[in-house]
Amino acid sequence: MLSLVAFVVFVGAAVYFVVDSYQRQKRTARIEQYLKEDSYKAPSQVGLFLLRFGTKHRKELENKFLEAGFYNKELAKFYFPMKLLAIAVLVSIAMVSEMEWQSQVLTVMLGLVAVIVVPDAILDVKRKTLISSTSSKLPYLLDMLSVCVQTGMTIEASFDYLSKELDAFDKDLCYQVKRTAESSKIKGLESALNDLSERLPTPEVRSFVLTVIQNLQYGTSIAKVLSDLAEDMRKIQLLTIEEKVGKLSSKMGVPLILFIMFPIVVLILAPAVIQMSANIGG
């Protein structure tokens, strides 16, 4: 009985090694045949360009859209194809039109400049507007953080709580708070706050970040400091508005002279000039 079992095991092992060796030889032959094929072609330059564009610029485009307030990352992958489509449509319209070739070339060149430059300029303007509007709402956030800290919550817990409650107030501010809260769970609160100051490079945000980081390092009371900082920011905003109102009178002088004073002078002198011209002509 034992000899029969040993014989079966020996035969099974022999069959296994034979089949395995055959499969290895088959895979080796297949690889050698694939390497010797003349039909293999290296990727084209266009393919390499698109590949490099996708890997190198995709993340940058996503950050641009996020900084401009478009929080859907899927929009980034349509940005470059839409530019190409707009250029193709522009060239097609110029080619089928009945304009002269000089006008066609000029139209295509202006259209190319517009398609390449205008979308990036719009994103940049949106980014600056978003940074300014989000920073202006920072005193409200500081008051909410102060209230949360006074109830016994930590700074991390306060950010996590406000990331859900601020959605109804302002989605842009809520996104920044939510991103800071999520980043603090991974990299720590200090690193998350530094990232916030890089995303919103304004004096108000830098002051808030330095205040919280100082609290983390020295363990001082943060609730009263946040309230005082919010009040100081409101005073600065009020002074900025007063300064703009004070400069408004001097800025209104130029349109006042151009559109009111100058027409009045023309109306006063016009009859006399017309009469003098008539007398000279007579």
Side-chain angles (χ1 to χ4, degrees), residues 5-239:
V5 173
F7 176 76
V8 172
V9 172
F10 175 76
V11 173
V15 171
Y16 171 77
F17 284 115
V18 170
V19 172
D20 183 64
S21 177
Y22 173 75
Q23 290 180 350
R24 287 182 181 180
Q25 292 177 0
K26 189 175 180 180
R27 287 196 298 268
T28 304
R30 188 183 302 171
I31 293 173
E32 291 177 354
Q33 182 181 0
Y34 175 75
L35 294 176
K36 292 179 180 179
E37 285 181 352
D38 296 334
S39 59
Y40 174 75
K41 295 181 180 180
S44 62
Q45 295 296 326
V46 177
L48 290 175
F49 170 75
L50 293 176
L51 182 62
R52 284 196 297 267
F53 179 85
T55 56
K56 183 178 178 180
H57 299 283
R58 177 70 179 272
K59 189 66 176 178
E60 182 181 353
L61 282 175
E62 290 179 356
N63 291 332
K64 281 186 177 181
F65 274 89
L66 291 176
E67 291 173 354
F70 302 101
Y71 301 121
N72 187 4
K73 291 185 177 181
E74 297 297 325
L75 296 175
K77 67 181 181 181
F78 299 108
Y79 185 72
F80 186 65
M82 288 301 294
K83 276 189 173 184
L84 294 178
L85 179 62
I87 292 174
V89 171
L90 178 65
V91 173
S92 301
I93 294 175
M95 294 298 293
V96 300
S97 62
E98 298 180 355
M99 297 184 298
E100 297 182 355
W101 69 270
Q102 296 91 342
S103 301
Q104 291 180 348
V105 172
L106 181 61
T107 302
V108 171
M109 294 299 295
L110 293 177
L112 288 176
V113 172
V115 170
I116 295 173
V117 175
V118 171
D120 293 332
I122 292 175
L123 288 178
D124 189 57
V125 171
K126 287 275 294 179
R127 172 181 172 272
K128 293 179 179 179
T129 304
L130 181 64
I131 290 174
S132 178
S133 62
T134 305
S135 299
S136 64
K137 300 180 180 68
L138 190 60
Y140 177 80
L141 174 63
L142 296 183
D143 288 336
M144 296 298 294
L145 282 174
S146 178
V147 172
C148 292
V149 171
Q150 289 177 8
T151 59
M153 300 173 64
T154 62
I155 296 294
E156 293 86 348
S158 301
F159 271 106
D160 189 35
Y161 173 76
L162 292 178
S163 65
K164 304 172 185 176
E165 298 296 328
L166 288 176
D167 191 20
F169 173 72
D170 186 85
K171 67 174 184 178
D172 299 322
L173 182 61
C174 180
Y175 170 77
Q176 297 296 338
V177 174
K178 183 178 180 180
R179 189 169 177 180
T180 303
E182 293 176 351
S183 180
S184 65
K185 297 177 182 178
I186 301 173
K187 300 186 295 184
L189 182 59
E190 184 174 351
S191 179
L193 290 173
N194 289 328
D195 293 341
L196 175 64
S197 64
E198 292 179 359
R199 294 194 302 270
L200 302 174
T202 59
E204 295 86 357
V205 176
R206 285 195 293 268
S207 178
F208 162 65
V209 169
L210 290 176
T211 300
V212 177
I213 291 177
Q214 183 180 6
N215 170 262
L216 294 175
Q217 293 177 350
Y218 299 103
T220 57
S221 177
I222 192 65
K224 185 69 167 75
V225 175
L226 291 176
S227 299
D228 295 339
L229 185 60
E231 187 65 25
D232 293 339
M233 288 183 181
R234 289 191 177 93
K235 290 180 180 179
I236 293 174
Q237 291 177 357
L238 182 61
L239 291 175

